[in-house]
Every structure is written in structure tokens, then in C-alpha cells.
Amino acid sequence: DAGVIQSPRHEVTEMGQEVTLRCKPISGHDYLFWYRQTMMRGLELLIYFNNNVPIDDSGMPEDRFSAKMPNASFSTLKIQPSEPRDSAVYFCASSWDRTQETQYFGPGTRLLVL
Amino acid sequence: DAKTTQPNSMESNEEEPVHLPCNHSTISGTDYIHWYRQLPSQGPEYVIHGLTSNVNNRMASLAIAEDRKSSTLILHRATLRDAAVYYCILKVENQGGKLIFGQGTELSVKP
């Protein structure tokens, strides 16, 4: 398996623009997680899905952020409109449907909002 | 959320053992102790996890105190490729797999 795939790997955009980050989880995994990492706040869980259904979105910073999982092999995290403070590395991770299973992380998308 | 405390940084010499401590005094009976590490410019990767007993795998060993209020990740022979940030995380059984990352310990390895 290719592991968790994220695209794009790097994104540079201007303030106010819409940004869409994409994630393909490992085939057969039932959980999908979105994290954000900054120097100031470290790694934060934004939202996670189980069987394509959002379970906990308490980490989503505000209404400008939205996430969807239309099927078991694809998820998006959208920021509209983007702001400079959204600049961060965004990671997607997936795991099997067992509480103690390990999470497998993608390589991340490095986002810079000018 | 259950909290862990780790030193901000540690140094090791190559080919020597490394003991990375973690305190989790508020751990509850069903919380698992997980360790992840993050190499520079990469996503975190799983290292090891345990509940009560000590655990070994090809990457490391996990020693868990009898009262479970602390644990130690042991790298038996550090290599330069082990330089990373190591995160100790309590995984709560009823929170569906959530990982709450702290600041971690940045391990540097000297040749």
C-alpha cells in the first residue's frame, strides 16, 4: 500500500482565497483524522471521521474551516477565506476501526497564506 | 483531556541507549500509553504502545511504572536517524482513537 496520500504537498496562496487540501487514506481504514501543526501550537487535532461520518469537529478553529469525506477513499479540508494565521502544515492520518490501532500519517501539506 | 509531561529536549550519543521519560499522573485505568515520533519534515509515526506491562518491538521498548503514572521509552542503541521529536500520548478508550499531542521531547543524537 502507498500509505496515506496528501495533495498538494505545498500550497502558497493569498489571503482571501479558497484553499482545498486533499487526503486519500489507506485502503480499508475506517478512521480518518485531520491535524494542523504550527510552531506556536504544536500538533492539533481538527476533526475526525469514522466510516465517512464526522465524529468530533471540536478542534476546527472556526467557520472558515470545513471538512468532508464523500467516500471511504477521499477527504477534503477546505479553508474559505484563507488568512495568514492559517499558515501551517496540515496532516491527514488514518487507522482501522479499533480504538487502540495506530494511526498512519501522511506527509503533510505545507500551506503558506500571504 | 488526559495530560502527559515530557522534557523539552534530550541529547544522546550515537550507539548508546536512550531513556525518554514521560509523566502521566492523571492516567485512568483504561488509558493506553502511546509513543509516536516525528522526524524532521515528516508526519508523525507510531513507535510503540502499552497498557500495563512492558512492551518490546523492533523499534523500541516501553517500560511502564507499576502505578502507571509514568513510563519510559527506551531506544537501545541510538542512531543518527533516531533524531526526532518523541511524543508520549494517552489514548482514551472512549474517545474513538483521538490522539492529543503535547509538546514532546526533541531528541538530538551526536556522532
Side-chain angles (χ1 to χ4, degrees), chain A residues 9 31 33 35 37 39-43 45 48 56 58 91 98-107 110, chain B residues 30 32 34 36 38 41-46 49 87 91-93 95-103:
Chain A
R9 293 293 310 276
Y31 279 92
F33 305 82
Y35 294 85
Q37 186 171 34
M39 287 295 293
M40 290 295 294
R41 300 174 66 90
L43 261 166
L45 176 65
Y48 75 94
D56 184 347
S58 60
F91 290 103
R98 281 172 285 177
T99 303
Q100 298 311 323
E101 276 299 327
T102 64
Q103 291 183 20
Y104 295 82
F105 283 75
R110 189 173 295 273
Chain B
T30 54
Y32 278 74
H34 282 243
Y36 280 72
Q38 187 173 20
S41 301
Q42 294 189 27
E45 65 173 347
Y46 168 81
H49 78 277
Y87 297 97
K91 200 169 186 186
V92 181
E93 186 180 25
Q95 290 187 3
K98 282 174 65 169
L99 291 177
I100 308 299
F101 285 82
Q103 292 306 305

Side-chain angles (χ1 to χ4, degrees), chain A residues 28-92:
Chain A
H29 282 190
D30 294 305
Y31 279 92
L32 184 137
F33 305 82
W34 282 101
Y35 294 85
R36 177 174 69 174
Q37 186 171 34
T38 62
M39 287 295 293
M40 290 295 294
R41 300 174 66 90
L43 261 166
E44 305 173 274
L45 176 65
L46 300 178
I47 184 171
Y48 75 94
F49 296 82
N50 178 216
N51 292 321
N52 313 336
V53 176
I55 302 301
D56 184 347
D57 65 355
S58 60
M60 295 286 263
E62 49 198 272
D63 292 345
R64 296 185 298 106
F65 284 69
S66 63
K68 293 182 180 179
M69 192 163 185
N71 57 61
S73 59
F74 184 65
S75 176
T76 59
L77 178 67
K78 188 174 292 188
I79 309 172
Q80 166 63 14
S82 58
E83 296 182 4
R85 60 192 167 124
D86 301 331
S87 298
V89 182
Y90 291 82
F91 290 103
C92 175

